[in-house]
Amino acid sequence: MNKVIITVVGKDTVGIIAKVCTYLAENHINILDISQTIVSEFFNMMMVVDASKATKDLSEVITDLDAIGEGIGVVIKCQREEIFDKMHRI
């Protein structure tokens, strides 16, 4: 499995989840786990996805998600699980 961590942060607006999830589905990236909250009008979502059947390589997915985020006014970060784990190790 090729697990990837995706985070989405920004001002809440209609369609954030729909745009991100639609992109993932169109590119055969499966959502394994998802958590989202809204605090004082700020949207925060974290997803663990399986990109092993993705139709694009991770660098293209990162570029595309950056563009989607820019278009809807949020910041979308995407990184491999092992890198995420090493960065957040205590």
Side-chain angles (χ1 to χ4, degrees):
M1 192 176 308
N2 184 8
K3 287 186 183 177
V4 175
I5 309 299
I6 299 173
T7 57
V8 182
V9 178
K11 278 283 227 184
D12 187 33
T13 187
V14 173
I16 297 171
I17 296 171
K19 287 196 189 289
V20 174
C21 291
T22 298
Y23 173 82
L24 296 176
E26 288 172 348
N27 289 283
H28 304 280
I29 299 170
N30 187 38
I31 299 168
L32 302 172
D33 200 357
I34 184 170
S35 172
Q36 68 99 57
T37 58
I38 299 169
V39 178
S40 297
E41 298 179 24
F42 288 96
F43 178 86
N44 185 14
M45 179 168 64
M46 181 174 178
M47 307 169 88
V48 179
V49 302
D50 177 8
S52 61
K53 295 180 182 173
T55 56
K56 297 181 178 181
D57 64 43
L58 186 59
S59 63
E60 286 180 281
V61 171
I62 291 169
T63 300
D64 291 348
L65 288 174
D66 282 343
I68 290 169
E70 193 172 304
I72 58 177
V74 298
V75 175
I76 303 176
K77 297 293 181 189
C78 183
Q79 59 192 168
R80 295 188 189 283
E81 180 187 40
E82 58 269 12
I83 294 171
F84 185 86
D85 287 343
K86 287 185 192 306
M87 287 177 54
H88 294 91
R89 192 178 285 178
I90 295 178

